[in-house]
Amino acid sequence: MSQESEAEPVGEAVLPGMLPEHLRAELVAFRRDLHMHPELGNQEFRTTAAIKARLEKAGLHPRVLPVGTGLICDIGEWDGGKPMLALRADIDALPIPDTKSECAYRSTVPDRAHACGHDVHTTVVLGAGLVLADLHRQGRLPRPVRLLFQPAEEVLPGGAADAIECGVLDGVGKIIAVHCDPRVDAGRVGLRTGAITSACDRLEVSLDGPGGHTARPHLTTDLVTAAARVVVDVPAVVARRVDSRSGLALTWGRIESGHAPNVIPQHAELSGTVRCLDLDAWRQAPDIVVAAIDEIANLHRAKSEINYVRGVPPVVNDPEVTELLRDAMTARRGAQSVEGTEQSLGGEDFSWYLEHVPGAMARLGVRTPGERTVRDLHQGDFDADESAITVGVEMFTAAALLDGAS
């Protein structure tokens, strides 16, 4: 799907790095190819190979990460001077079916889909890299730029942590990224200074106790009731142990116990997510949540075993880097192309980079202007207005040029 924005870019005369028409069409085709061949986290071998081949065709020298998927590629050679700007994309897909019925480029892989827009993010960074490489050959790129194609964003605690251990931030002073937003029209981006996403952790709980006949629950640990009370009571207890403004929320996604209507089981399992808007509250969350589960389980004579899996902290946009994105977008499409955006409860492992260097993530509008249906993220029918690729590429190239000139 594609519809060009009505907003007029400032143009090549003011700031170079506009996306030429022939490359625009190629990038749309590249995105559709990725969309048809989605790969899960740490399995993105075909995706990595496709990115690498196109960068090498442009005369660049990409380096596949030691983990086997994902890669980095520098445009220009860093001389140890002022640190580089990094452009980051996540390249993995989701383990859900593509349910788009009338789409020539729907997923060809069963139960796999690019339902979060990572194919768009990848294409944006690739396109920006190709444009910046051309500017570098012309002597018009003021400072080297690093492209970072990161695997396994959807796998907690996120592939960003592994990428950082591989040295992807060596020589990097700032980092920027986009994330598709189906609530924002193509041609526009949403920006926010400070926290723009939430922290997200995973929680797995096992409850055990002697079972028995449903006719004699007093002689057993009634695990079904115990599990039900954990599901209902723990979120309420947790909510009263942190500042309500922190947005700490425990939500269950799975509960499983028992096999027969007249047998009290000996085992129950629950799993869910813990999300938090506030960084300090997120750091306290494991102790608070584990204590609440133990209290409720003990009250019902159930033995609890808790696996609290640390996920990602909130993405906290740096004010100066956010302004860089605002200036870049304004230079390309005017001030009206930028809108404010709210902090979401979604998690994003881009946050790990921001523990090391300042950076910012923009919400890239992918809704066709005038369309009433919102194809939400992580849904099988998700799709993007492909004119957003041009918007992302031109914003990133402008950001690189503006940052290099500062």
Side-chain angles (χ1 to χ4, degrees):
M1 56 190 296
S2 180
Q3 177 173 321
E4 287 298 328
S5 168
E6 296 178 358
E8 290 295 330
V10 171
E12 190 84 13
V14 176
L15 194 67
M18 301 297 287
L19 186 63
E21 186 58 39
H22 71 89
L23 185 53
R24 186 193 315 256
E26 180 190 345
L27 292 176
V28 168
F30 189 90
R31 179 259 167 170
R32 292 186 177 189
D33 180 71
L34 294 185
H35 200 83
M36 293 173 67
H37 302 93
E39 297 174 300
L40 300 185
N42 296 316
Q43 301 173 24
E44 312 96 332
F45 297 103
R46 183 186 186 277
T47 303
T48 298
I51 300 165
K52 182 174 181 287
R54 185 60 184 92
L55 292 172
E56 289 177 337
K57 183 180 178 182
L60 299 171
H61 305 284
R63 292 167 284 163
V64 176
L65 300 182
V67 293
T69 61
L71 63 155
I72 61 173
C73 182
D74 292 348
I75 314 295
E77 186 174 349
W78 184 58
D79 60 5
K82 191 168 183 180
M84 292 179 285
L85 174 70
L87 316 180
R88 175 267 196 174
D90 37 10
I91 66 174
D92 58 325
L94 286 163
I96 63 174
D98 188 333
T99 60
K100 296 187 293 294
S101 58
E102 297 181 6
C103 180
Y105 51 88
R106 64 179 295 182
S107 172
T108 61
V109 184
D111 298 321
R112 303 286 186 269
H114 268 296
C116 199
H118 294 190
D119 53 337
V120 174
H121 308 165
T122 299
T123 306
V124 165
V125 173
L126 174 65
L130 297 176
V131 172
L132 292 172
D134 189 53
L135 291 176
H136 176 64
R137 284 189 290 270
Q138 300 171 35
R140 304 172 76 185
L141 183 64
R143 188 181 307 141
V145 174
R146 174 164 295 166
L147 313 179
L148 167 54
F149 298 92
Q150 176 217 303
E153 189 276 331
E154 297 287 354
V155 182
L156 287 179
D162 291 333
I164 292 167
E165 288 186 7
C166 293
V168 300
L169 293 181
D170 294 347
V172 170
K174 299 186 185 78
I175 188 167
I176 57 177
V178 292
H179 198 296
C180 289
D181 191 336
R183 302 165 301 171
V184 177
D185 283 351
R188 300 171 65 85
V189 300
L191 291 177
R192 177 185 177 89
T193 298
I196 192 171
T197 69
S198 78
C200 180
D201 300 333
R202 187 173 73 243
L203 183 62
E204 299 166 348
V205 181
S206 295
L207 300 177
D208 291 282
H213 201 292
T214 55
R216 293 176 288 277
H218 60 291
L219 300 179
T220 74
T221 292
D222 188 350
L223 275 184
V224 173
T225 297
R229 296 319 312 177
V230 168
V231 167
V232 174
D233 293 344
V234 170
V237 171
V238 168
R240 288 296 178 266
R241 294 184 179 176
V242 294
D243 190 322
S244 59
R245 293 170 295 183
S246 70
L248 181 62
L250 167 55
T251 305
W252 301 104
R254 184 181 73 94
I255 178 171
E256 184 175 340
S257 185
H259 301 282
N262 62 341
V263 178
I264 294 174
Q266 298 179 14
H267 183 73
E269 294 181 357
L270 306 87
S271 58
T273 59
V274 178
R275 299 179 185 270
C276 188
L277 300 175
D278 179 76
L279 187 58
D280 289 336
W282 176 70
R283 289 176 175 140
Q284 303 172 39
D287 291 340
I288 293 172
V289 171
V290 168
I293 293 171
D294 282 339
E295 288 175 21
I296 301 301
N298 289 337
L299 184 64
H300 294 273
R301 298 184 297 172
K303 180 182 178 182
S304 58
E305 183 175 331
I306 304 165
N307 182 24
Y308 193 108
V309 182
R310 265 307 200 191
V312 294
V315 172
V316 181
N317 282 349
D318 177 81
E320 291 186 8
V321 185
T322 304
E323 283 306 302
L324 173 64
L325 291 176
R326 184 183 304 277
D327 291 343
M329 193 65 183
T330 300
R332 293 301 193 203
R333 302 209 165 216
Q336 76 283 351
S337 65
V338 180
E339 61 183 62
T341 189
E342 298 177 347
Q343 183 180 4
S344 78
L345 277 169
E348 232 289 352
D349 76 350
F350 183 71
S351 56
W352 290 123
Y353 300 112
L354 306 189
E355 298 278 299
H356 300 270
V357 297
M361 172 174 279
R363 293 209 167 109
L364 180 67
V366 295
R367 180 179 63 191
T368 299
E371 184 177 8
R372 293 184 178 181
T373 302
V374 176
R375 293 176 171 84
D376 202 7
L377 302 172
H378 287 218
Q379 299 296 316
D381 65 347
F382 173 79
D383 203 356
D385 186 315
E386 290 166 322
S387 67
I389 295 170
T390 299
V391 177
V393 168
E394 294 181 353
M395 180 178 69
F396 273 179
T397 57
L401 292 168
L402 293 172
D403 181 63
S406 62

